[in-house]
Amino acid sequence: MTHPTHNLPAYAAGHLTGDDAAAVTAHLATCPACATQARAWHRTATAVQDDTARVPPPAPDIFTAIRHRLTPHTTPSGTRPVPAYRGAIGTRPLHRALGILTRQRTLIRWPVWTLAAALIAGGAVLAALAPTGHAAQILAMTVPLAAALAVAGACGTDNDPPAELACALPTPPRVVLLARLTLVLTATVTAGLLATLALSALTPGGGAAGLVTAWFGPLVPLSATSFALSVLYRPSAGVTTALALWLARALSTGQAATTGPTGLSPAVLRLVDPLWTPGPAVLTAAAVLVAATFLLSPRLPRSRHTGPVWR
C-alpha cells in the first residue's frame, strides 16, 4: 500500500483538489495511521489560520514612514542620515568606473601588495648599491617580476569572498577583471617610478628615463603572460611561468657577463631575451594576449580552479 504522506499537509489545509483529494479521502477511510496524521495536520493548519487572523493589518502609512526613513534629510549635528543612491542607472559613468576601480583595493589580498612592494624596494636598494652601470639591469629584473606576481595573485583567484556577490551585480565580470588589472599595474608602475626617481636622485649622473625604459619594456610581456595563464588556467601557472622566465633571464644575463655555460638551450634564450628587450611585435603580441584573455574569461567554468595562491 502506498501512503500519500507528502499530500497530507495540503489535504488538511484544503489546498488539494480533484482526483488527488479524492484519492487521499479514499485512503484515509482504510488507513488509521494516515488518518491520524491528517487530523494532526488539520489541527496545525487551523491553529495557523487562527493566529494569522488575530494579527492586525499594518497601518496604512507604514510604507510612507519607511520611505521617509530612507530619504536623506537634514539631521541634527552629530548624526548620520541613511545613505541613498539618487542617481539614475546609467548616469555618471566615470564616477561609477572610478568607484569600481577603487573598491578593488579592499578586495585584493594584502600579500599581493606586500610582495610587490618588497620586490620593488629590494630592487631599488640593490640598484643603489650596485656598481655603476648595473642599476638598469637590476630594476629590469625586479620591477617586471613584481608586476607579474601581483597580477597573478590579484586577477587569477577564484576563491574570492565577494565573487558570488559580484556575479549577481549588474557590473560585468570583464569590467571587474579589467579594474583589478588596471589597479595592480597602476600601483606597480607607480611604485617603480618612485623607486626610479629616488635612485636617480641618489645616483650621480643616473638618467631616470633610461632606468624606466629598462624595466617598463619587460614588464608588459611578462605581466601579460602571467595574466593570461592565471585567468585562463590557474594562478599557480602564472606565478610559476613568471618565475621560470625570470630565472632563465637571470641565467642568460649571467652567461653574458661571465661567458660561461648556463645549461640553457639556444631556443630558450631566443624565447626569453626578446621579453626583456621587447620590440613592436612583442608588445603587440602582449596586447593581443590580454585582449583574448578578457574575451575568453567569462566563458570559462569557474570550478576548475583550486583557489588563490595568496593565503
Side-chain angles (χ1 to χ4, degrees):
M1 177 184 295
T2 302
H3 300 276
T5 306
H6 61 286
N7 283 334
L8 292 180
Y11 178 82
H15 297 158
L16 206 64
T17 59
D19 296 339
D20 293 336
V24 174
T25 301
H27 178 82
L28 295 180
T30 60
C31 181
C34 289
T36 301
Q37 293 185 36
R39 287 191 294 270
W41 279 114
H42 180 72
R43 288 194 297 271
T44 301
T46 302
V48 171
Q49 292 173 357
D50 292 343
D51 291 343
T52 303
R54 286 194 292 268
V55 175
D61 59 347
I62 185 172
F63 294 107
T64 302
I66 292 175
R67 285 194 296 268
H68 177 73
R69 290 291 302 274
L70 296 178
T71 302
H73 54 277
T74 304
T75 58
S77 177
T79 61
R80 301 179 61 183
V82 177
Y85 180 72
R86 292 180 291 178
I89 299 298
T91 60
R92 305 179 67 187
L94 294 179
H95 181 269
R96 180 168 177 264
L98 182 61
I100 296 174
L101 181 64
T102 55
R103 292 303 185 273
Q104 300 304 312
R105 176 183 55 83
T106 59
L107 303 180
I108 298 175
R109 295 174 180 267
W110 65 266
V112 174
W113 304 118
T114 304
L115 179 60
L119 285 174
I120 295 175
V125 172
L126 290 177
L129 299 177
T132 305
H134 290 76
Q137 185 177 353
I138 294 176
L139 290 181
M141 293 295 295
T142 53
V143 179
L145 179 63
L149 296 182
V151 166
C155 301
T157 176
D158 287 325
N159 189 15
D160 191 1
E164 184 175 354
L165 177 61
C167 292
L169 297 177
T171 305
R174 290 191 183 99
V175 175
V176 176
L177 186 61
L178 176 61
R180 290 201 173 192
L181 179 63
T182 302
L183 179 62
V184 170
L185 289 181
T186 299
T188 307
V189 171
T190 301
L193 290 174
L194 293 176
T196 303
L197 293 177
L199 185 61
S200 301
L202 296 176
T203 304
L211 294 177
V212 171
T213 304
W215 60 259
F216 186 80
L219 181 147
V220 175
L222 197 65
S223 298
T225 304
S226 174
F227 174 72
L229 291 174
S230 301
V231 173
L232 300 181
Y233 187 50
R234 55 175 49 125
S236 58
V239 172
T240 302
T241 302
L243 291 174
L245 292 173
W246 180 86
L247 180 60
R249 176 60 179 179
L251 294 176
S252 173
T253 304
Q255 179 179 5
T258 61
T259 65
T262 62
L264 295 178
S265 65
V268 174
L269 295 178
R270 287 195 297 269
L271 173 65
V272 172
D273 289 344
L275 295 180
W276 261 262
T277 55
V282 174
L283 297 178
T284 302
V288 171
L289 184 60
V290 171
T293 302
F294 277 111
L295 180 65
L296 296 175
S297 59
R299 304 175 184 271
L300 298 177
R302 308 301 290 179
S303 60
R304 298 183 296 108
H305 299 185
T306 58
V309 173
W310 315 104
R311 290 289 184 183

